[in-house]
Amino acid sequence: MRDLSFLRALLLALLACAAPACRAAHAYAQFGDIKYPPGFTNFSYVNPNAPKGGEIRMVPPTRPTNFDKFNPLTLRGTAPYNIGGLLLESLLTGNSEEPTTAYGLLAEDVEVAADKLSATFRLNEKARFHNGKPVLAADVVHSFKTLISKEAAPQFKTIYAEVKGAVVVSERVVRFDFATPNPELPLVVGGMPVFSRDWGVVDGKRKPLDQIVSEPPIGSGPYKLASLAMGRDITYVRDPNYWAVDLPTRKGFFNFDRVTYKIYLDETSRFEGLKAGEFDFLREFISRNWARQYTGKQFTSGDLVKRAFENKNPGDFQGYIFNLRRPQFQDIRVRKAIGLAMDFEWMNRQLFYGIYKRVNGYFPNSEFHAEGLPKPDELALLEPLRSKLRPEVFGEVPVSPSTAPPGSLRENLRQAQALLKEAGWTYRDGALRNAKGEAFVMEFLNDQPGLVRIVGPFQKSLEKLGITMTYRVVDFSLSKQKMDAFDFDITTARLPGSTAPGGELLDRWGSAAAKTPGSSNIWGIADPAVDALLQKVVTARTRPELGAAMRALDRVLTHGYYSVPQYYGDAFLIGYRPRPFVLPPVIPPYYEADTWAMSTWWASEGNK
């Protein structure tokens, strides 16, 4: 399924802003206190004395089957997994304990102006790019100007829309100026990937960013590429001269000499690769595989371990996504009717072994999930928008349809049939047709053949309504191309939950992003009420303000029936080879399993 987490990962989402005005600080807390004081030595969930060495081999938790470029910052093509996270660094970095706090990385301190209209960063004198040159303010300004140009992926222009500019104050001091006193903007610029001005310069001439394909970014991160060969597998090697190895925000991290990501064309060969020892760590997303495959001698002997790692992360949203640019999905009654055709309870019993929970809303299992009637703090945000909202928004928030007794799929389909009739669709001549006689046909676009068994029951229920849904499986490259161009009818997507949502939501649901090729607004939602609530999210000054804005947003989106919510799991399902590794004794509350393993585990003596 389509994973929309790229920008969040690339911009190092665990960042925050808002420090005491007019005072340089080592860290920023958007809401609440800062856990670690100046002079702290390391984060509590890492081993600061973890030995360096060894290798970890993993499978990316994404869908690409190859890569054809080393540039992660442009729209066209596919870059190798995690190249941005391992080669590029940002001014600030967060941790897995404090959702809205950030500490210095390339910048050793930052000062936010009293009027909140600028943030000034002082760079660490030790910071070095992989070519040995120092990281200077001019490199930061160059990175910003390049990312907002038409050469970069268009999402960046949306992300930095409220940043007026970046200015070199002195050799190692850079200031970002803001269009509004938005408290999230220091977070946005603090998480910007910084690269050298030398990247793409050949014989003294600079290539446009979108023409840099085979040259990897010149960054300052802990790893470099082991090889410049294009293909499927990718290996990163630890930089022995990494400038930040003893920095408090890096102490105990990135302990492996080599990190390899292996790509398999299908889930069967991937799991066989785990058993054969071709790699060490696999995150499983398919419940059937988890229930039936992770057994046998290797698991009994302990050579392989099957473990569900708990976490306190907000639940991921996963659902079928309607492309509102298509005429058949523009009527809310049609979208609601299609949602009634999904029988989650049957699927969870028969296909998922009961391990999933139903998604309700867009922020399940979090403080941002709307329930029941609007609370007073939500109403304060919704009332000024009443003329732009459907009256139902001020009532109970919808919950996903259920077939649990006394409900049934049959009754849900009756309701769906009535809604479709109201919308002008009636069954005749063997199909559901509109007043023009056009049959209701839609194509499900995806790059995972394994989803056929999950989509099949949904297809059959739609057939009972007279709707034909064809299933088209394409390879990842074509899928990405079509999704970037919004050339699809319906698909499925997973939106990772966040403890600190902010500016990335503008790219996900903002009206401007609906017209921007390659944006995360694959729905095509262009709603002034949604835009207004997104602004409340990104300008929230307290955690309660953020919660109210997010719940109001969740309520409006859910009432729009833009998706058919599916299911989520509340633990990471991991198969891994335990003997080569040592795990930190403390598991942080907010983490991604793959990143946590790659960055905080270390090699046992036999793996060096």
Side-chain angles (χ1 to χ4, degrees):
M1 61 200 55
R2 184 173 169 86
D3 186 339
L4 302 180
S5 63
F6 167 74
L7 276 179
R8 194 65 171 171
L10 186 60
L11 296 177
L12 304 175
L14 293 174
L15 298 174
C17 59
C22 291
R23 182 171 66 85
H26 76 295
Y28 284 84
Q30 186 176 5
F31 313 115
D33 297 329
I34 296 170
K35 176 178 179 179
Y36 295 96
F40 78 100
T41 57
N42 59 272
F43 295 132
S44 64
Y45 59 92
V46 302
N47 175 8
N49 300 312
K52 306 297 184 184
E55 179 180 16
I56 187 168
R57 301 165 301 170
M58 314 177 76
V59 173
T62 52
R63 297 305 307 165
T65 55
N66 59 16
F67 61 91
D68 55 14
K69 65 173 184 175
F70 290 123
N71 184 347
L73 305 176
T74 53
L75 181 62
R76 296 183 62 183
T78 302
Y81 180 74
N82 211 14
I83 189 170
L86 294 180
L87 271 65
L88 298 173
E89 291 184 312
S90 53
L91 297 167
L92 305 177
T93 186
N95 62 53
S96 298
E97 298 172 295
E98 304 166 276
T100 55
T101 300
Y103 297 81
L105 183 54
L106 289 173
E108 59 185 13
D109 63 47
V110 55
E111 178 180 314
V112 177
D115 59 8
K116 309 298 183 184
L117 289 176
S118 68
T120 303
F121 298 83
R122 181 161 58 91
L123 298 175
N124 192 314
E125 292 186 359
K126 296 179 180 179
R128 291 291 185 277
F129 289 116
H130 292 145
N131 61 5
K133 293 185 179 181
V135 180
L136 301 177
D139 296 295
V140 179
V141 172
H142 169 74
S143 299
F144 172 74
K145 290 182 176 179
T146 303
L147 289 171
I148 63 171
S149 73
K150 63 181 181 180
E151 302 164 7
Q155 297 97 316
F156 289 111
K157 199 164 187 178
T158 301
I159 293 290
Y160 303 127
E162 293 186 64
V163 182
K164 291 172 63 176
V167 179
V168 174
V169 178
S170 65
E171 187 177 55
R172 285 189 170 85
V173 178
V174 60
R175 187 186 73 242
F176 287 88
D177 296 320
F178 308 139
T180 60
N182 179 339
E184 198 205 11
L185 290 176
L187 176 155
V188 173
V189 296
M192 183 187 74
V194 175
F195 45 88
S196 170
R197 287 167 288 165
D198 293 338
W199 184 30
V201 175
V202 180
D203 298 328
K205 295 182 179 180
R206 186 183 306 282
K207 288 184 179 181
L209 182 68
D210 54 4
Q211 293 181 24
I212 301 175
V213 176
S214 58
E215 302 98 321
I218 302 177
S220 59
Y223 288 89
K224 300 179 180 180
L225 288 177
S227 168
L228 296 183
M230 299 283 186
R232 291 199 178 122
D233 301 343
I234 187 76
T235 295
Y236 302 94
V237 294
R238 190 167 59 84
D239 181 0
N241 301 313
Y242 179 44
W243 70 275
V245 66
D246 292 321
L247 212 63
T249 50
R250 286 294 185 252
K251 193 76 172 174
F253 288 94
F254 307 115
N255 303 311
F256 296 108
D257 282 347
R258 295 171 65 87
V259 176
T260 295
Y261 293 99
K262 299 182 71 67
I263 297 177
Y264 293 83
L265 296 179
D266 59 76
E267 62 189 59
T268 301
S269 60
R270 182 185 62 192
F271 185 72
E272 290 301 318
L274 176 66
K275 293 196 297 181
E278 295 174 4
F279 61 92
D280 310 301
F281 182 102
L282 174 63
R283 181 177 174 187
E284 184 59 69
F285 290 94
I286 300 176
S287 57
R288 177 189 61 182
N289 294 350
W290 184 250
R292 297 169 63 178
Q293 291 186 349
Y294 290 71
T295 60
K297 293 181 180 179
Q298 289 175 292
F299 290 94
T300 302
S301 68
D303 289 340
L304 289 172
V305 167
K306 170 185 179 179
R307 179 173 173 183
F309 284 89
E310 295 182 353
N311 60 77
K312 295 184 179 179
N313 297 338
D316 296 346
F317 171 86
Q318 185 171 302
Y320 294 113
I321 305 297
F322 298 116
N323 186 354
L324 303 181
R325 305 167 187 87
R326 298 290 201 252
Q328 66 265 43
F329 300 128
Q330 291 176 7
D331 192 310
I332 190 173
R333 294 168 295 188
V334 170
R335 302 195 298 269
K336 185 175 181 180
I338 292 174
L340 285 162
M342 179 177 158
D343 188 346
F344 166 75
E345 284 72 23
W346 181 89
M347 294 171 65
N348 203 29
R349 287 193 312 270
Q350 302 297 325
L351 303 179
F352 303 149
Y353 299 85
I355 70 172
Y356 287 136
K357 298 179 180 178
R358 186 72 192 269
V359 168
N360 281 293
Y362 287 82
F363 312 111
N365 195 40
S366 78
E367 63 188 290
F368 308 129
H369 170 58
E371 294 182 289
L373 293 169
K375 296 178 175 60
D377 54 357
E378 296 173 51
L379 282 173
L381 300 175
L382 295 171
E383 281 293 351
L385 304 172
R386 185 177 281 273
S387 63
K388 299 180 176 67
L389 295 170
R390 298 173 61 85
E392 293 85 350
V393 172
F394 295 87
E396 296 274 346
V397 70
V399 295
S400 298
S402 172
T403 59
S408 68
L409 179 60
R410 182 185 295 271
E411 177 55 33
N412 288 352
L413 292 178
R414 286 198 188 102
Q415 295 178 36
Q417 190 176 45
L419 286 167
L420 291 166
K421 187 174 182 180
E422 287 179 21
W425 293 89
T426 56
Y427 188 86
R428 61 186 187 276
D429 299 327
L432 189 70
R433 300 180 184 275
N434 60 16
K436 297 179 182 179
E438 299 167 330
F440 199 124
V441 178
M442 59 182 177
E443 180 183 80
F444 181 88
L445 177 69
N446 202 256
D447 57 15
Q448 294 186 69
L451 283 183
V452 171
R453 72 185 188 97
I454 296 173
V455 176
F458 188 41
Q459 275 181 305
K460 291 181 179 178
S461 294
L462 291 171
E463 287 175 5
K464 295 176 181 178
L465 296 172
I467 296 174
T468 298
M469 183 171 76
T470 60
Y471 188 96
R472 184 180 181 189
V473 180
V474 299
D475 64 28
F476 175 82
S477 297
L478 180 57
S479 174
K480 182 178 184 301
Q481 179 181 338
K482 292 180 76 65
M483 294 301 299
D484 286 343
F486 310 127
D487 183 16
F488 73 100
D489 294 336
I490 186 171
T491 189
T492 188
R494 180 176 66 90
L495 311 178
S498 173
T499 54
E504 79 285 354
L505 301 186
L506 297 171
D507 185 65
R508 186 176 295 173
W509 290 306
S511 294
K515 302 175 184 177
T516 304
S519 81
S520 297
N521 191 347
I522 57 176
W523 298 262
I525 295 172
D527 184 336
V530 170
D531 292 337
L533 291 173
L534 287 171
Q535 286 302 313
K536 295 295 183 181
V537 169
V538 299
T539 58
R541 296 181 179 276
T542 66
R543 192 77 182 180
E545 283 183 12
L546 177 65
M550 288 292 291
R551 289 192 301 274
L553 175 65
D554 190 33
R555 187 174 298 276
V556 171
L557 291 172
T558 304
H559 272 284
Y561 295 93
Y562 302 122
S563 313
V564 180
Q566 294 176 326
Y567 36 81
Y568 72 97
D570 54 6
F572 297 120
L573 308 180
I574 304 297
Y576 71 98
R577 200 169 303 281
R579 291 194 176 96
F581 307 111
V582 182
L583 279 62
V586 176
I587 299 178
Y590 312 112
Y591 68 101
E592 287 296 322
D594 311 79
T595 303
W596 171 66
M598 178 275 299
S599 63
T600 68
W601 293 15
W602 63 93
S604 61
E605 287 299 322
N607 186 27
K608 293 182 182 176

